[in-house]
Amino acid sequence: DKGLVLTGDFEPGRTYRLTLRAGLAGIAGARLPEDVTRTVLIPDRERSIAIAEEGQYLSPAGALTVPLSLMNVRKCDVYARPIPPQNLVFHAMREASRYSHHYGSDPDDHAEGLTAPAVKKTYELSDVRNREQRLAVRLPELVEGAPRGAYLVSVESPNLRSAHRVVYVTDLGLSARIAGNQALVWVNSLRTAKAAAGAEVVLYGQNNLPLAHGVTDADGTALLTFAPPAAESAPFLVTAALGPDLSCL
């Protein structure tokens, strides 16, 4: 193929003067008869926004920040949409593409009709080209009262693909195992790792109907027994609630 590949520590957004000296040999053996000079522009890095860390759980006792990574972005809008507990199953079903024939792959489609009104905050960033900028979004600035429960956090900027993440503000961690018509659920404190006794546990089918209820014992476990479900009510999601805390798996 014709062409030349340049590799090196080039800086994005800069123009370089490239000179190919006479006598430079090509693949076929022919040599350049004279010097050739060209101007080469290294383009800016592609504009982007992203949620910088993996994970979905924020401790109520922590900083409650969502870290963002931005490249060549001067302004972005951040939205927080509370997901009511009664809509967690439907939202999770959409995220799992169970309703793909009705909803697309966009997280805004997943949230349509399932969240409370969004709170928006606009952030202005420094005019820094081709360098990653980090922004720590404080969730308490985007919700009314003390944050608790599930929120769809969205970051948008014109002409860019938006970034989304469902985050849970909770101290409750869940593990669950299903065998036959029983589910063993273990609930613990994410902050201390101790068992969470007295948590109300509900197992939902994919049709959003509860299959079984229980309360965790001193070990933080609850054994739930349910009738063999029909296909449309197969076990899909477990919630745990203790005081103001709510978590799901």
Side-chain angles (χ1 to χ4, degrees), residues 38-133:
R38 295 289 186 269
T39 299
V40 178
L41 171 65
I42 306 299
D44 288 330
R45 294 186 186 276
E46 186 176 356
R47 298 174 64 240
S48 64
I49 53 178
I51 296 177
E53 304 292 341
E54 298 294 331
Q56 293 180 279
Y57 294 90
L58 298 176
S59 169
L64 294 176
T65 58
V66 178
L68 305 183
S69 171
L70 305 103
M71 178 66 67
N72 291 333
V73 174
R74 290 294 311 279
K75 179 189 292 187
C76 67
D77 296 324
V78 181
Y79 301 83
R81 299 176 174 91
I83 304 175
Q86 63 269 26
N87 289 340
L88 287 172
V89 171
F90 285 138
H91 189 273
M93 289 283 288
R94 291 182 186 180
E95 280 198 312
S97 300
R98 299 296 181 89
Y99 300 144
S100 58
H101 54 293
H102 290 303
Y103 300 94
S105 60
D106 193 302
D108 281 338
D109 294 335
H110 299 162
E112 181 182 352
L114 296 182
T115 66
V119 175
K120 168 188 170 183
K121 184 172 182 179
T122 299
Y123 293 85
E124 302 276 354
L125 292 99
S126 302
D127 186 13
V128 178
R129 292 179 60 196
N130 301 313
R131 296 289 184 271
E132 179 193 34
Q133 294 195 71

Side-chain angles (χ1 to χ4, degrees), residues 63-68 78 123 135-142 153 155:
L64 294 176
T65 58
V66 178
L68 305 183
V78 181
Y123 293 85
L135 176 64
V137 174
R138 297 194 67 251
L139 199 56
E141 298 175 357
L142 292 167
V153 177
V155 189

